[in-house]
Amino acid sequence: MKLGMVGLPNVGKSTLFNAITNAGAQSANYPFCTIEPNVGMVSVPDARLEKLAEIYSPDKFTPAVIEFVDIAGLVKGASKGEGLGNKFLANIREVDAIVHVVRCFESDDIIHVEGSVDPIRDIETINLELIFSDMEMVTRRLDKTKKALKGDKTLAGEVAFLERLMAHLENGLPARSIEINEDFEQDVINTTALLSAKPVIYACNMSEDDFSGGIEDNENYLKVKALAETEKAEILPICAALEAEISGLSDDEKVMFLEELGLERSGLDRMIQKCYSLLGLISYLTAGKPEVRAWTITEGTKAPQAAGKIHTDFERGFIRAEVVAFEDLMACGGSMVTAKEKGLVRSEGKEYVMKDGDIVLFRFNV
């Protein structure tokens, strides 16, 4: 999974990126501090995987990973090159979802590029820049498809949809909100790499006092929450400053720190959960002495396609999947032998739909 982080300058975006990735991206109180995109890889916390590692003592431990891409703060006119924004937008066209960091705190010490804190205005500024940038992409594809239409009349439907999509964007509406009437229309959106088509998580960056004192008392957060509900977007209350403190602690210290705040999980853990939910993702597990590993798939994926995540040969030569639920294996003390004796290890065929936490051994022949 790959996530792109966007936001205006000085909203705490790079501070949050640093905290959740420990990648050391530059952060300072002036616009365009981030010039080149910063990229950080983060392991997805999974207690099930850690438990399997205790049982198997594997030679290799491989959790699922998320790649975060942090681009420079965008400003009004970014799609036209203001603040070198258009160059930066190109760096997040291939991400799976966008984490839009929104400033929801007041501070005389940290400059706001618009002179005041207004999260709804800031969101509209960023969203419009994404839409303007998408309009350029759609224009190019429309011109190309119209030329091809002269020799291939089957492209008429695509031309009609692109014209409808262009009108939708011109009305200031994101591509993700357009009505899809045919399967090919979604393919057109996917293959045009439209920024405004991507799912969004609004990360509401609050002050330490607001975050620990009660997020529902923060009016700025409530405004973004209401907006997110209308857009069917996810919302994540977070404090970049606190995350920065947490990132430097040991695991035990981190647990104590979070308990003092009344939190069960860090901002990163909560963000990952939101991303999985937003994108409809689950994880299945493979376990043995050579390696214990988590594999990320889309909910609803069938066994052969899940096997293909490991290697294309696994999908091509798929015979069956030997599956046991994580909970069932733990109920057997982690013993696969005991799980088989109790009939908890199932032999599943090509139509089996994978479930979150399945522990699988794929049988194949090519």
Side-chain angles (χ1 to χ4, degrees), residues 141-283:
R141 178 154 182 174
L142 184 55
D143 290 344
K144 184 179 178 181
T145 309
K146 279 182 175 179
K147 289 177 183 176
L149 177 63
K150 295 175 183 178
D152 184 358
K153 299 304 179 185
T154 63
L155 294 173
E158 182 175 330
V159 169
F161 174 66
L162 285 168
E163 288 176 340
R164 182 160 68 90
L165 176 59
M166 189 66 176
H168 186 83
L169 295 171
E170 286 173 341
N171 286 328
L173 299 170
R176 62 180 170 273
S177 67
I178 194 169
E179 185 177 343
I180 299 296
N181 300 322
E182 304 285 348
D183 289 342
F184 82 87
E185 293 177 350
Q186 188 61 57
D187 290 337
V188 170
I189 287 180
N190 293 343
T191 55
T192 313
L194 300 179
L195 292 168
S196 68
K198 298 184 185 300
V200 174
I201 295 174
Y202 290 115
C204 295
N205 188 18
M206 303 180 183
S207 68
E208 293 187 38
D209 289 342
D210 282 345
F211 190 74
S212 56
I215 60 174
E216 295 295 335
D217 293 329
N218 184 303
E219 290 185 10
N220 288 322
Y221 167 73
L222 295 177
K223 290 176 184 177
V224 180
K225 183 180 180 181
L227 177 67
E229 287 172 357
T230 65
E231 293 185 353
K232 296 181 180 177
E234 290 281 358
I235 186 166
L236 176 72
I238 201 163
C239 174
L242 284 176
E243 293 300 318
E245 289 184 49
I246 292 171
S247 68
L249 301 177
S250 67
D251 289 342
D252 290 341
E253 290 172 331
K254 193 177 295 185
V255 170
M256 291 176 59
F257 189 86
L258 291 171
E259 285 178 351
E260 288 177 9
L261 293 172
L263 297 172
E264 294 181 5
R265 290 171 297 179
S266 69
L268 171 61
D269 292 355
R270 290 183 292 115
M271 184 182 293
I272 289 172
Q273 181 192 37
K274 295 281 186 183
C275 292
Y276 269 66
S277 172
L278 187 67
L279 296 171
L281 301 176
I282 61 172
S283 294

Side-chain angles (χ1 to χ4, degrees), residues 258-332:
L258 291 171
E259 285 178 351
E260 288 177 9
L261 293 172
L263 297 172
E264 294 181 5
R265 290 171 297 179
S266 69
L268 171 61
D269 292 355
R270 290 183 292 115
M271 184 182 293
I272 289 172
Q273 181 192 37
K274 295 281 186 183
C275 292
Y276 269 66
S277 172
L278 187 67
L279 296 171
L281 301 176
I282 61 172
S283 294
Y284 76 84
L285 314 171
T286 53
K289 177 60 179 172
E291 183 179 33
V292 166
R293 182 164 182 166
W295 303 85
T296 303
I297 56 173
T298 304
E299 195 169 2
T301 299
K302 292 184 178 180
Q305 288 69 49
K309 292 285 287 186
I310 299 175
H311 197 284
T312 53
D313 284 352
F314 281 37
E315 181 176 356
R316 187 160 55 91
F318 179 87
I319 299 173
R320 68 181 185 275
E322 295 179 5
V323 184
V324 60
F326 173 81
E327 292 77 11
D328 288 342
L329 184 64
M330 291 304 104
C332 297

